[in-house]
Amino acid sequence: MLRHTLQIRWAGPAVALALVAAVVPARAAAAPAPARAAITAQPTPCVLEAEGFGQAMYEWYVAADAYINSLPGGTESEIIAAADQLDRATDNVVQTGGKLLLCLVMHLE
């Protein structure tokens, strides 16, 4: 069963997003209040990459919803158009997720 999960194109970015979401808030919440103020005073790296990745994930969700909604009663052309939109959104998630991951790796301490 795990074999089939790893063949899905969006599995890698989804796992990366889950790991980032699980680690980053815990570290930020664990910092004392003065340290949090010092962190926010400095320019934050990878903000643009994170914003792009978040936007790409939102567009992927909208495309996936459109694809799922086109399946029950959609025509062949509507289903193919929704699948193409989902494919483009998936590629965008992979590209922006890779940029975010590279940026995060470059800024590891």
Side-chain angles (χ1 to χ4, degrees):
M1 183 173 194
L2 192 57
R3 217 173 9 162
H4 301 293
T5 304
L6 298 177
Q7 292 178 357
I8 298 172
R9 294 176 61 182
W10 51 265
V15 170
L17 177 65
L19 291 174
V20 169
V23 173
V24 173
R27 292 178 73 194
R36 267 192 235 144
I39 290 172
T40 57
Q42 299 173 357
T44 308
C46 306
V47 171
L48 295 176
E49 289 85 354
E51 180 184 4
F53 182 67
Q55 181 65 32
M57 286 298 296
Y58 173 74
E59 291 170 3
W60 180 88
Y61 177 77
V62 169
D65 190 44
Y67 177 72
I68 290 170
N69 289 335
S70 71
L71 288 177
T75 63
E76 180 181 355
S77 61
E78 290 173 343
I79 293 171
I80 290 174
D84 287 340
Q85 180 186 7
L86 182 59
D87 190 42
R88 285 191 304 275
T90 302
D91 289 340
N92 193 19
V93 167
V94 170
Q95 289 175 1
T96 56
K99 288 178 186 177
L100 175 61
L101 192 59
L102 286 175
C103 182
L104 290 173
V105 167
M106 288 177 21
H107 289 91
L108 286 176
E109 295 179 326

